[in-house]
């Protein structure tokens, strides 16, 4: 048992790197758990993760008051909690643990794998005890130059496929829905898609088939609706199996909790599943719904539509971004400006040399009271009254988050505060694991820490340099 008097819980610890090994320190960089591991991560106020990259094992260190246990090791490279439970594996045996690291149950049944808990149940796959054919029926026919009949194909197809079945277990590890299904997805809204005799239907939590297996593919319910697939086309059903949209569409996707987008002959339409209001497939593009409004394109021009499928701003703009903090950026007759939801011009913007639709040069909306502007190919920030609060001196910038904005100068990144003061100098190459995504996602502070990666970072731990806090303190030693 480790005993650290100064630290009350795991959240006060920071992953710390010494040369190539990781441990944990406090915020004064005092080592609390020695740097003996290939990785280190804070999971919760009760759990720490350590591990060895080469053995594909992770260790769980439990923290209670001032006591830290020696790590208990499991197979894998990370740990994920779903509904307060993580599924772990050690020496071929599965175990359920809670967010405090306590063992809930050791699974006695032997499974190939166990998925995450959804709606109180976890999907499981039984061990495969059947021998799999080395050659498929079609391979054998091809070797013998034999053309099988349709009946022979139906009788033999799939004989070389995985014969294992899937079912569901509860939090006690009891297999309450037996492994009898050819395939299955997790439960959502008390229903699970299952595959029986090559067709998909839906069961309830006692394993009763509620919606018959008549679909080629099926996905889980979201807000009372599920997407299904037949004859190479998508449709939509409700929880009773009633057809809401026939299987005639090239694609169906979820836009919001109440809005579904569908595609037919390269045009898009919308359905409000609450009001049952439906549009025709007349749009060339439909953006994200934000603040109850989405941009759309029709005949090469952009306008805005609300969740009642009503056009609130007609398609007159050459380009448009989504609304944010009640304003949206549009491009009209060679000029950029912000409009409100009545279509009124509120703030004029400088023209941008770079393409409007690219990740560099795009005018995004307001976030936390600030919006980016671009002048002479440099980025700054304005406030909602149009005042240029932070001058256009940066090569690139992300939106403000938790009082800080990441900015780029000379291919290096740092952070400014809302007064424009550079609080973390532009000396870091990447805050993204994958350099190809470096400009797409806002750097995310987690527990007031930010990960710093090598310039070619592609692996969560192997290319991780270390962590910095919001004052720029570096928690590593080379």
């Amino acid at each position: 048992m480790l005993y650290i008097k100064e630290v009350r819980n795991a959240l006060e610890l920071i992953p710390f790197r010494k040369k190539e090994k990781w441990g944990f320190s406090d915020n004064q960089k005092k080592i609390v758990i020695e740097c003996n591991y290939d990785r280190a991560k804070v999971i919760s106020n009760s759990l720490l993760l350590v591990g060895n990259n080469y053995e594909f094992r992770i260790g769980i260190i439990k923290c209670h008051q001032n006591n830290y246990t020696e790590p208990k090791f499991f197979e894998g490279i990370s740990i994920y909690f779903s509904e307060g439970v993580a599924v772990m594996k050690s020496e071929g045996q599965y175990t359920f643990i809670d967010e405090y690291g306590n063992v809930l149950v050791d699974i006695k049944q032997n499974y190939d794998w166990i998925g995450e808990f959804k709606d109180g149940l976890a999907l499981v796959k039984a061990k495969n005890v059947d021998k799999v054919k080395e050659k498929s029926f079609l391979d054998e026919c091809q070797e013998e130059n034999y053309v099988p009949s349709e009946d022979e194909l139906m009788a033999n197809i799939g004989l070389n496929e995985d014969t294992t079945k899937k079912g569901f277990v509860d939090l006690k590890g009891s297999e309450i829905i037996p492994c009898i299904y050819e395939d299955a997805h997790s439960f959502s809204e008390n229903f699970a898609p299952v595959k029986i005799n090559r067709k998909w239907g839906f069961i309830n939590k006692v394993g009763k088939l509620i919606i018959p297996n008549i679909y080629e593919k099926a996905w889980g319910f979201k807000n009372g609706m599920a997407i299904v697939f037949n004859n190479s086309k998508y449709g939509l059903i409700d929880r009773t199996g009633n057809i809401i949209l026939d299987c005639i569409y090239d694609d169906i996707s979820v836009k919001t909790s109440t809005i579904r987008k569908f595609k037919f002959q390269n045009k898009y339409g919308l359905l409000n599943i609450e009001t049952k209001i439906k549009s025709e497939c007349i749009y060339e593009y439909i953006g994200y719904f934000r603040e109850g409004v989405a941009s759309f394109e029709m005949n090469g021009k952009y306008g805005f539509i609300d969740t009642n499928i009503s056009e609130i701003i007609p398609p007159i703009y050459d380009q448009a971004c989504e609304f944010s903090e009640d304003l949206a950026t549009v491009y009209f007759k060679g000029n950029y400006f912000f409009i409100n939801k009545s279509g009124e011009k509120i703030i004029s913007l400088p023209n941008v040399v770079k393409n409007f639709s690219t990740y560099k040069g795009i005018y995004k909306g307001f976030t936390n009271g600030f919006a980016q502007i671009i002048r002479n190919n440099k980025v700054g920030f304005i406030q909602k009254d149009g005042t240029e609060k932070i001058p256009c001196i940066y090569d690139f910038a992300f939106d403000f988050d938790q009082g800080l904005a990441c900015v780029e100068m000379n291919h290096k990144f740092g952070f400014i505060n809302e007064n424009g003061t550079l609080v973390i100098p532009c000396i870091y190459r990447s805050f993204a694991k994958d350099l190809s995504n470096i400009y797409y996602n806002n750097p995310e502070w987690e527990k007031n820490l930010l990960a710093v990666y090598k310039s070619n970072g592609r692996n969560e731990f192997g290319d991780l340099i270390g962590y910095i806090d919001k004052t720029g303190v570096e928690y590593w030693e080379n």
Side-chain angles (χ1 to χ4, degrees):
M1 183 76 72
L2 305 175
Y3 181 75
I4 297 91
K5 183 172 64 175
E6 297 86 354
V7 178
R8 293 189 297 276
N9 65 59
L11 292 180
E12 296 181 17
L13 295 178
I14 297 170
F16 192 94
R17 178 178 62 82
K18 277 189 175 182
K19 295 184 178 179
E20 300 301 322
K21 292 296 182 179
W22 289 82
F24 295 90
S25 75
D26 61 18
N27 61 6
Q28 301 299 313
K29 302 175 70 169
K30 180 180 178 181
I31 299 299
V32 174
I33 294 177
E34 291 298 326
C35 298
N36 296 324
Y37 306 99
D38 290 329
R39 70 184 80 176
K41 189 174 183 179
V42 177
I43 301 298
S44 67
N45 63 352
S46 302
L47 293 180
L48 304 170
L49 179 147
V50 295
N52 186 315
N53 276 342
Y54 306 105
E55 295 177 2
F56 296 101
R57 295 200 309 157
I58 55 172
I60 304 299
I61 298 177
K62 292 170 60 176
C63 168
H64 179 65
Q65 295 179 346
N66 297 325
N67 298 317
Y68 291 78
T69 64
E70 296 292 340
K72 177 177 174 58
F73 282 92
F74 298 92
E75 297 173 19
I77 58 174
S78 192
I79 177 173
Y80 301 98
F81 283 93
S82 178
E83 299 184 356
V85 178
V87 180
M88 311 300 294
K89 190 176 184 181
S90 179
E91 297 179 356
Q93 194 78 26
Y94 282 97
T95 298
F96 298 163
I97 66 171
D98 65 17
E99 291 174 313
Y100 300 96
N102 301 314
V103 173
L104 299 176
V105 63
D106 290 317
I107 307 301
K108 294 180 172 54
Q109 182 77 17
N110 212 359
Y111 295 108
D112 264 354
W113 55 257
I114 301 179
E116 297 179 353
F117 275 90
K118 302 290 183 183
D119 280 5
L121 298 175
L123 182 65
V124 297
K125 180 181 178 183
K127 280 284 187 182
N128 189 357
V129 296
D130 296 330
K131 184 177 180 181
V132 177
K133 290 184 66 176
E134 293 180 1
K135 294 181 181 179
S136 71
F137 175 68
L138 290 178
D139 289 336
E140 293 174 348
C141 290
Q142 188 173 15
E143 287 180 0
E144 299 173 8
N145 294 318
Y146 175 70
V147 180
S149 68
E150 184 175 342
D151 289 340
E152 287 176 316
L153 280 173
M154 293 303 296
N156 288 278
I157 191 168
L159 288 182
N160 67 320
E161 292 180 354
D162 188 353
T163 58
T164 53
K165 303 292 186 180
K166 294 179 181 178
F168 295 87
V169 298
D170 63 13
L171 288 167
K172 296 179 181 179
S174 301
E175 190 177 294
I176 64 168
I177 298 178
C179 293
I180 60 174
Y181 303 106
E182 297 158 22
D183 203 353
H185 300 319
S186 296
F187 271 87
S188 62
E189 300 182 7
N190 297 315
F191 288 86
V194 295
K195 189 177 183 182
I196 308 169
N197 297 327
R198 299 185 173 276
K199 293 287 186 177
W200 287 83
F202 292 82
I203 59 170
N204 63 14
K205 286 191 171 182
V206 296
K208 182 179 179 181
L209 190 65
I210 302 299
I211 297 174
N213 53 314
I214 58 175
Y215 297 104
E216 295 170 9
K217 294 180 184 177
W219 291 265
F221 278 93
K222 292 184 179 179
N223 302 102
M225 299 287 166
I227 298 172
V228 292
F229 185 84
N230 257 349
N231 300 318
S232 301
K233 298 292 181 180
Y234 294 86
L236 197 67
I237 62 172
D238 65 17
R239 289 163 58 90
T240 64
N242 290 329
I243 296 173
I244 306 303
L245 293 175
D246 290 315
C247 290
I248 61 173
Y249 297 100
D250 302 318
D251 189 27
I252 296 178
S253 59
V254 177
K255 298 300 287 185
T256 72
S257 60
T258 60
I259 301 294
R260 300 296 182 267
K261 182 178 77 171
F262 46 91
K263 181 182 181 183
F264 184 73
Q265 294 182 349
N266 292 321
K267 293 289 182 73
Y268 296 93
L270 292 172
L271 168 70
N272 186 311
I273 62 176
E274 286 187 345
T275 65
K276 302 298 187 291
I277 297 174
K278 176 186 172 186
S279 77
E280 298 299 321
C281 290
I282 57 176
Y283 303 107
E284 291 139 30
Y285 166 83
I286 300 173
Y288 294 103
F289 277 89
R290 291 179 181 160
E291 302 178 2
V293 179
S295 63
F296 70 86
E297 182 184 2
M298 184 185 294
N299 299 322
K301 296 293 183 180
Y302 289 80
F304 292 88
I305 196 169
D306 65 15
T307 54
N308 292 319
I309 325 298
S310 298
E311 294 179 8
I312 62 170
I313 299 174
I316 61 173
Y317 303 106
D318 301 312
Q319 275 283 12
C321 286
E322 313 306 335
F323 272 90
S324 177
E325 299 185 9
D326 295 319
L327 296 174
T329 317
V330 295
Y331 182 63
F332 183 65
K333 293 184 177 180
N335 294 297
Y336 297 99
F337 49 88
F338 280 103
I339 60 171
N340 62 19
K341 290 178 182 176
S342 298
E344 298 169 328
K345 182 178 178 179
I346 302 299
I347 302 172
S348 296
L349 295 165
N351 282 336
V352 183
V353 174
K354 294 181 180 179
N355 189 307
F356 184 85
S357 62
T358 60
Y359 60 80
K360 279 196 171 186
I362 190 170
Y363 270 130
K364 295 181 284 188
F366 277 90
T367 302
N368 297 313
F370 288 87
Q372 297 180 26
I373 62 167
I374 302 170
R375 183 178 286 110
N376 298 325
N377 248 11
K378 296 292 183 178
V379 183
F381 289 86
I382 60 171
Q383 295 177 309
K384 281 198 168 181
D385 61 2
T387 303
E388 188 172 319
K389 176 71 173 180
I390 297 169
C392 296
I393 59 175
Y394 299 104
D395 300 324
F396 186 78
F398 292 91
D399 293 328
F400 272 93
D401 178 37
Q402 301 181 42
L404 297 176
C406 182
V407 293
E408 179 188 18
M409 294 185 76
N410 300 320
H411 306 293
K412 297 292 180 68
F413 292 91
F415 283 85
I416 58 173
N417 63 20
E418 292 180 353
N419 293 319
T421 304
L422 194 64
V423 294
I424 297 176
C426 293
I427 58 175
Y428 300 105
R429 186 66 186 92
S430 176
F431 297 120
K433 282 182 283 189
D434 186 346
L435 193 62
S436 64
N437 292 329
I438 195 169
Y439 294 111
Y440 285 91
N441 298 311
N442 221 44
E444 294 183 4
W445 293 93
E446 186 175 354
K447 304 180 184 73
N448 293 320
L449 296 173
L450 184 66
V452 179
Y453 292 90
K454 298 176 184 178
S455 60
N456 62 343
R458 289 186 180 272
N459 175 275
E460 182 173 1
F461 288 100
D463 295 312
L464 177 63
I465 295 174
Y467 293 87
I468 59 173
D469 66 17
K470 289 185 176 180
T471 65
V473 174
E474 298 176 343
Y475 290 92
W476 67 78
E477 293 177 5
N478 289 322

